[in-house]
Amino acid sequence: MKNNFLWGVANAAFQVEGSPKPSDWTAWTEEKGRIFDGSNAEKATDFWNRYEEDLKLAADLGSKAFRMSVAWERIETSEGVFEKSAIEQYRKIIQAVRAHGMEPLLTLHHFVNPLWLAKKGGVLAPDFPELFARFSVFVVGELSKDDLVLQWSTFNEPNIVAVACFLAGEFPPGAKNDFKRATQATFQLSRAHILAVSALRKEVLPRFPKVKVGIVIHLRDFQPKTRNPLDRLIAKISDWTFNRQILKAALTGKIFAWYPGSKFYREDLSHLYDRKGIDFLGINYYGRTMVKFQWTPPFVAISEGEDGPKNDMGWEIYPQGLENVLCDAHRRYGLPILITENGTADHDDSRRPEFIREHLRALKRAIDKGVPVEGYLHWSLTDNFEWAHGHKPRFGLVEIDYATMARKPRPSYYLYQKLIREYSTHDTAIHAPDVSKNA
Ligand code: FCB
């Protein structure tokens, strides 16, 4: 792989920082039964204070990049009131990322809304897109000064936001099977991305010509459960609704939002784009989804694949899907790609080593086929607060002892370190590196 390949790790503000400011998620964790193990993110991993230690672990791993997000609720504490001290702390953290020789990759919105915004309706608040654009202009204007941050993503997984908030009921406000609101959320998030990118390109980026803007989407490899044509059709429709509709809007400025059971929400904002809507595509890959047609709404029944081993959350481990989604995204969009997340919940580190090896092999196959992947960020450096699942799932290359906050690298940390070294010294896209099984 190319020498400048961005090997690294990822985290997100609410999941690691601790001492959170009031948000829809702090309110959600206070509601009984919302977090399956009863935990909350009050302390999380205390990254806000212990970032030096974590950044050193990331750098020692061989990371060339570090993906993190900013917490909107820390920065805009009430509507229109921006907190300089929060920006200063982020500046310090990001300077430390650079001091450790890593490229900071920043996300503006990773699932969480300030409480004042949640009270107005969160992503469904009529002015959510305008508020997000204003917030983006402020943050990028501050943190891209002196070329501190050169790569920004607007949203992390807006497609998961629509589904988890309004179909699965796992994120606030916890609605289930509300296809109308899932569609409205899809519309609002698409619109917010478009307004933010257009405002950034007009108001901020002329000062920072090196800055790139993208979006991070969760891509699943949708596969029909049988060869029945209806199953195949519904697999294609699922691919469109979940994987592609927000990306299409983000790229073209034309929104056409729809989930089965809802009317269409559309708007043509392409006049706001004087050039393409994103410079790169961030892909989070966790697995495939088997789909089967059913005669009752929403006309699709989904399940995990059954061939591969399962992780601690019951998710099938399916490395081939990474190659599949990468090749498909390349064919459709032709953009530079970053794998912004890929990882697994594995408390005793029994499956993660194989997970990493096989996913990197799949990545390599995609690169060898010509997919322009610029980096791979493992989710996650440390264990952290896994949303509705609380602290139970262990996604870290580094274990956190929540009683003492001590960090302890797992065997897979050393394996990933070794693989980064091996893949980096084989600076070729032709020969697969000698990836020894006994790391
Ligand atoms: C992704 C999220 C990330 C983390 C992983 C396990 O969908 O972006 O915050 O929860 O899943």
Side-chain angles (χ1 to χ4, degrees):
M1 278 177 215
K2 288 191 286 183
N3 274 333
N4 54 358
F5 191 80
L6 292 175
W7 292 106
V9 284
N11 74 16
F14 190 76
Q15 294 178 275
V16 296
E17 285 178 353
S19 329
K21 295 289 175 215
S23 69
D24 50 359
W25 269 92
T26 52
W28 191 243
T29 56
E30 282 160 18
E31 282 184 32
K32 207 167 162 27
R34 295 303 193 184
I35 308 303
F36 308 151
D37 67 353
S39 61
N40 60 43
E42 277 308 305
K43 296 210 182 88
T45 71
D46 196 25
F47 178 78
W48 195 243
N49 299 307
R50 291 170 202 249
Y51 62 88
E52 258 301 337
E53 187 178 354
D54 288 349
L55 296 178
K56 180 165 187 330
L57 281 164
D60 289 351
L61 188 61
S63 299
K64 312 267 186 315
F66 190 86
R67 175 174 180 245
M68 54 183 274
S69 70
V70 291
W72 189 347
E73 65 279 15
R74 278 192 199 285
I75 295 172
E76 191 173 353
T77 45
S78 55
E79 187 171 343
V81 177
F82 293 89
E83 201 54 64
K84 279 273 184 179
S85 64
I87 290 289
E88 289 323 313
Q89 177 72 356
Y90 282 120
R91 201 189 308 281
K92 262 169 62 188
I93 297 174
I94 299 165
Q95 280 167 347
V97 171
R98 284 222 175 273
H100 280 285
M102 299 182 287
E103 187 67 33
L105 308 176
L106 266 284
T107 307
L108 286 157
H109 184 282
H110 196 123
F111 294 167
V112 180
N113 295 308
L115 193 58
W116 58 263
L117 176 55
K119 286 187 177 153
K120 297 172 59 163
V123 297
L124 298 185
D127 55 351
F128 174 83
E130 286 78 7
L131 291 171
F132 178 71
R134 181 175 68 178
F135 166 71
S136 304
V137 163
F138 175 74
V139 174
V140 176
E142 287 291 333
L143 294 177
S144 283
K145 276 183 198 154
D146 306 320
D147 288 344
L148 184 61
V149 178
L150 297 178
Q151 294 220 35
W152 290 94
S153 297
T154 52
F155 287 98
N156 177 71
E157 301 188 342
N159 50 345
I160 287 283
V161 173
V163 168
C165 295
F166 299 107
L167 299 184
E170 280 198 9
F171 287 13
K176 287 201 175 136
N177 295 326
D178 188 337
F179 292 93
K180 181 172 174 214
R181 283 202 286 166
T183 306
Q184 289 170 332
T186 301
F187 177 84
Q188 288 283 87
L189 288 157
S190 305
R191 194 168 195 278
H193 170 88
I194 294 165
L195 295 194
V197 169
S198 121
L200 287 169
R201 294 220 197 279
K202 276 201 199 80
E203 297 169 35
V204 185
L205 301 193
R207 276 182 284 145
F208 310 126
K210 288 195 210 149
V211 169
K212 292 193 179 124
V213 182
I215 192 168
V216 170
I217 203 92
H218 183 124
L219 289 186
R220 302 201 63 83
D221 185 4
F222 285 98
Q223 297 185 4
K225 195 151 176 151
T226 72
R227 296 183 53 79
N228 178 317
L230 285 174
D231 288 356
R232 284 198 261 178
L233 176 67
I234 205 73
K236 286 214 159 59
I237 293 175
S238 305
D239 179 47
W240 158 258
T241 52
F242 186 80
N243 285 341
R244 285 166 36 210
Q245 57 175 325
I246 293 180
L247 279 184
K248 181 83 191 262
L251 272 157
T252 62
K254 290 184 188 165
I255 314 174
F256 185 91
W258 175 74
Y259 267 89
S262 164
K263 64 173 188 156
F264 299 108
Y265 286 78
R266 40 201 310 186
E267 189 174 3
D268 183 350
L269 294 171
S270 53
H271 57 281
L272 296 179
Y273 280 171
D274 54 359
R275 47 182 280 215
K276 60 187 185 301
I278 42 180
D279 302 313
F280 67 93
L281 174 59
I283 294 177
N284 292 354
Y285 173 76
Y286 286 93
R288 68 173 160 172
T289 297
M290 309 307 291
V291 289
K292 187 154 179 47
F293 177 79
Q294 63 179 34
W295 286 102
T296 47
F299 307 106
V300 57
I302 57 171
S303 56
E304 283 293 317
E306 275 155 24
D307 304 337
K310 299 268 163 71
N311 80 0
D312 288 350
M313 294 166 85
W315 302 354
E316 184 201 25
I317 297 175
Y318 186 66
Q320 179 57 41
L322 178 60
E323 180 184 348
N324 298 350
V325 300
L326 285 173
C327 291
D328 189 64
H330 175 50
R331 190 170 55 81
R332 288 179 192 282
Y333 311 116
L335 284 166
I337 291 174
L338 269 175
I339 297 168
T340 31
E341 286 180 30
N342 175 238
T344 197
D346 180 21
H347 70 286
D348 60 2
D349 213 42
S350 57
R351 301 213 183 277
R352 190 176 292 102
E354 192 65 8
F355 178 101
I356 296 175
R357 270 191 214 106
E358 290 306 319
H359 281 81
L360 294 187
R361 287 205 171 110
L363 161 64
K364 181 74 168 55
R365 290 196 295 276
I367 291 176
D368 287 350
K369 285 183 178 167
V371 182
V373 184
E374 299 192 335
Y376 172 93
L377 293 309
H378 191 81
W379 184 272
S380 183
L381 175 67
T382 62
D383 293 335
N384 57 59
F385 181 78
E386 177 51 29
W387 310 111
H389 298 265
H391 279 298
K392 188 153 180 254
R394 300 290 187 145
F395 274 91
L397 295 166
V398 175
E399 182 187 344
I400 300 270
D401 175 343
Y402 288 108
T404 63
M405 289 293 169
R407 274 78 169 140
K408 185 169 168 232
R410 295 195 163 102
S412 50
Y413 172 96
Y414 298 104
L415 171 72
Y416 184 40
Q417 183 179 55
K418 175 170 178 279
L419 291 176
I420 292 178
R421 216 179 299 127
E422 289 185 8
Y423 274 105
S424 309
T425 48
H426 289 73
D427 183 26
T428 163
I430 299 164
H431 303 292
D434 171 21
V435 181
S436 144
K437 289 243 170 193
N438 357 292

